Amino acid sequence: MRMYDIITKKRNGEILTNEEIKFFIDGYVKGDIPDYQVSALLMAIYFKGMTPEETANLTMCMARSGDIVDLSLIPGIKVDKHSTGGVGDKTTLIISPIVASLGVKVAKMSGRGLGHTGGTIDKLESIPGFKTDLDRETFFDIVKNVGVSVIGQTGNLVPADKKLYALRDVTATIESIPLIASSIMSKKIAAGSDCILLDVKAGSGAFMKTSDEAIKLAKAMVEIGENVGKKTIALITDMDRPLGTAIGNSLEVIEACDTLKGSGPRDLTEICIELASNMLCLAGKGTIDECKIAAKKVIDDGTAFKKLKEMVQFQGGDVSVIENSNNFKRAKAEHNVVAATSGYISSMDTEQCGIASVILGAGRENKESSIDFSAGIVLQKTIGDYVNAGDTIATLYAGDISKCISAQELLCKAIHISSKEPQSSPVVFARVTTDGTEKYYN
Ligand code: URA
């Protein structure tokens, strides 16, 4: 078999066999096939696409390129959730304890912040002492005993994706549905859960800018999941505004705790109930409506919050910051951003809000940068709110005031004020299952 022939076949729009896909993935991971030939194949895939079967084969070859976690040693159904990335997305911290307190195990490997989007591991590490690099035995023990554990990616998980993602990033081949779908699903399959809930974000802060594009990606991923025997559902959710009010690591942990105590922002609470009930439903815990009632109940009676505290304790974290957010270290500088004119907050450029939080120190400017866990933004107003000129619209937190001033400039351009009241939109745009797509927008 020759790589040259595989490139030619795809360039001509033909279907690759599983053997050909395996040859290219194995050869690339071993270093036998050079970047320039893989780049050519990626570009051919970008233009000619892949059939669902080819995409499923690619995903499985990628998943098998490294370790596959065997969660069968942990009794019970394990459900995973993946978000395609957003700003202020702290849902994992909320839904994992909800689901675990209802008897569904969550053994989750999460990532760090990427570009303007935050990462669950950075958020968890803002809790003093919290360990995200547990060995496999400790990770499994916590999942068995507590029902939930969230750690960073360990071992040699999907090395093919690490190489391919870096190459796609520099060859203009990121925006290809089969390539994104196989990249995400190979990691979910290697992580070993029985069922997968996908949170595909759509909007100005997301990878997919429109709901229709997000639905296409979701359909491809649901099909892969089901093809390899994992029950998979995707929700398409709003990323045209930051999720909740807090952006930044310890600020988001505080907001997650408030939400688990029943006093979180409306949009965040609603999205978390939707996500948690779909995870419970995937695990066979009842209909969506029954699971929604159950999810609300464990928030109201405090069980879910208690579960988060248990997980924090088992992973070495300081539970006192979860019990009382005043125990978190505070940022040295604090600055209010005020509205320049009166009117309705009509829209927000969410990506720019994320970049403003990176400037404040909540994200990394480059791979080597360290994070200021207390830095970030708390939005005091959201889309649809009426503001008078001079009202505070956001509070910024950073290590020094100069960072607040730079971030303020960006944030003022990102938050648009208009005389017209904007139309309200749902937080969940659609639900994609093997049975079809339910749309909640026109
Ligand atoms: N996230 C991933 O993990 N892979 C992609 O290709 C895009 C987003």
Side-chain angles (χ1 to χ4, degrees):
M1 204 173 285
R2 294 192 319 152
M3 186 61 184
Y4 182 93
D5 300 324
I6 296 174
I7 300 168
T8 311
K9 210 171 158 186
K10 188 42 79 184
R11 184 202 64 192
N12 295 343
E14 290 172 50
I15 295 171
L16 301 180
T17 64
N18 192 30
E19 289 65 38
E20 286 162 338
I21 292 171
K22 188 168 176 339
F23 175 85
F24 127 67
I25 291 294
D26 291 352
Y28 188 46
V29 172
K30 273 197 234 143
D32 295 345
I33 300 174
D35 278 352
Y36 55 83
Q37 282 192 308
V38 176
S39 305
L41 180 62
L42 291 173
M43 192 56 86
I45 293 172
Y46 176 92
F47 280 113
K48 298 294 177 178
M50 280 186 137
T51 64
E53 199 187 334
E54 277 179 298
T55 313
N57 288 339
L58 174 61
T59 306
M60 284 318 290
C61 287
M62 287 171 69
R64 290 189 187 115
S65 68
D67 302 341
I68 297 206
V69 183
D70 180 8
L71 291 180
S72 65
L73 297 168
I74 302 171
I77 299 210
K78 278 75 62 183
V79 185
D80 201 353
K81 188 241 19 166
H82 179 85
S83 156
T84 56
V87 178
D89 183 356
K90 67 280 290 172
T91 55
T92 296
L93 307 180
I94 303 163
I95 60 181
S96 307
I98 294 180
V99 167
S101 31
L102 288 159
V104 174
K105 302 266 179 5
V106 181
K108 188 151 174 50
M109 291 190 194
S110 288
R112 297 189 181 278
L114 193 68
H116 70 281
T117 65
T120 302
I121 291 304
D122 295 329
K123 296 174 217 250
L124 284 169
E125 286 181 354
S126 75
I127 301 168
F130 193 97
K131 291 190 195 67
T132 58
D133 58 349
L134 304 178
D135 59 62
R136 201 142 294 171
E137 205 186 327
T138 314
F139 174 51
F140 279 22
D141 276 349
I142 298 176
V143 179
K144 275 188 212 159
N145 293 316
V146 180
V148 53
S149 179
V150 183
I151 59 167
Q153 278 189 7
T154 58
N156 185 31
L157 225 68
V158 200
D161 184 61
K162 289 194 187 95
K163 287 192 83 172
L164 282 174
Y165 195 90
L167 192 62
R168 286 167 58 212
D169 205 19
V170 292
T171 54
T173 49
I174 289 277
E175 296 90 346
S176 150
I177 286 183
L179 295 180
I180 299 175
S182 55
S183 162
I184 292 175
M185 291 305 286
S186 59
K187 286 176 285 203
K188 291 293 106 182
I189 291 163
S193 284
D194 307 296
C195 315
I196 303 165
L197 178 70
L198 300 162
D199 178 6
V200 183
K201 304 280 182 200
S204 62
F207 219 51
M208 299 282 133
K209 301 295 179 204
T210 68
S211 305
D212 288 348
E213 272 179 80
I215 288 174
K216 257 196 233 162
L217 173 62
K219 280 183 175 163
M221 293 197 286
V222 168
E223 189 157 356
I224 295 171
E226 296 283 338
N227 261 335
V228 299
K230 309 252 178 206
K231 279 164 77 183
T232 309
I233 291 178
L235 295 186
I236 313 299
T237 65
D238 184 12
M239 197 29 76
D240 247 337
R241 67 176 84 183
L243 190 49
T245 62
I247 309 167
N249 301 288
S250 59
L251 297 171
E252 293 193 41
V253 173
I254 296 168
E255 189 167 68
C257 291
D258 289 344
T259 307
L260 281 172
K261 286 191 255 178
S263 55
R266 189 196 57 81
D267 63 336
L268 179 62
T269 305
E270 203 179 309
I271 244 175
C272 286
I273 298 289
E274 293 286 344
L275 292 169
S277 55
N278 273 279
M279 286 171 84
L280 292 164
C281 187
L282 274 168
K285 291 283 174 183
T287 64
I288 286 288
D289 288 340
E290 287 163 352
C291 293
K292 265 188 201 168
I293 293 169
K296 284 181 188 155
K297 184 164 178 290
V298 292
I299 292 181
D300 292 345
D301 66 14
T303 319
F305 182 57
K306 207 165 135 228
K307 188 58 77 187
L308 175 72
K309 283 202 285 189
E310 241 181 290
M311 180 184 88
V312 169
Q313 191 180 5
F314 271 74
Q315 294 197 219
D318 177 359
V319 180
S320 79
V321 299
I322 303 294
E323 282 165 344
N324 180 355
S325 61
N326 291 326
N327 290 333
F328 264 117
K329 207 171 127 208
R330 279 188 85 84
K332 290 202 184 95
E334 216 175 297
H335 177 73
N336 284 336
V337 178
V338 298
T341 54
S342 301
Y344 292 98
I345 309 244
S346 56
S347 64
M348 289 188 192
D349 184 328
T350 312
E351 186 170 345
Q352 293 302 311
C353 295
I355 295 171
S357 77
V358 174
I359 290 173
L360 290 163
R364 293 178 187 79
E365 296 275 4
N366 56 53
K367 274 203 313 215
E368 280 73 41
S369 328
S370 60
I371 283 190
D372 175 354
F373 288 130
S374 55
I377 304 170
V378 173
L379 297 167
Q380 309 289 354
K381 302 285 176 197
T382 188
I383 295 182
D385 287 345
Y386 187 84
V387 291
N388 288 304
D391 282 354
T392 299
I393 45 177
T395 306
L396 310 182
Y397 298 90
D400 65 75
I401 196 69
S402 66
K403 289 186 177 154
C404 294
I405 302 303
S406 311
Q408 168 175 257
E409 205 178 307
L410 212 62
L411 204 64
C412 286
K413 285 191 200 134
I415 299 179
H416 308 128
I417 298 177
S418 146
S419 57
K420 227 172 114 200
E421 188 174 0
Q423 278 189 335
S424 65
S425 61
V427 290
V428 178
F429 295 141
R431 181 170 186 262
V432 179
T433 68
T434 38
D435 296 334
T437 304
E438 271 176 89
K439 285 189 188 176
Y440 312 123
Y441 67 99
N442 297 315

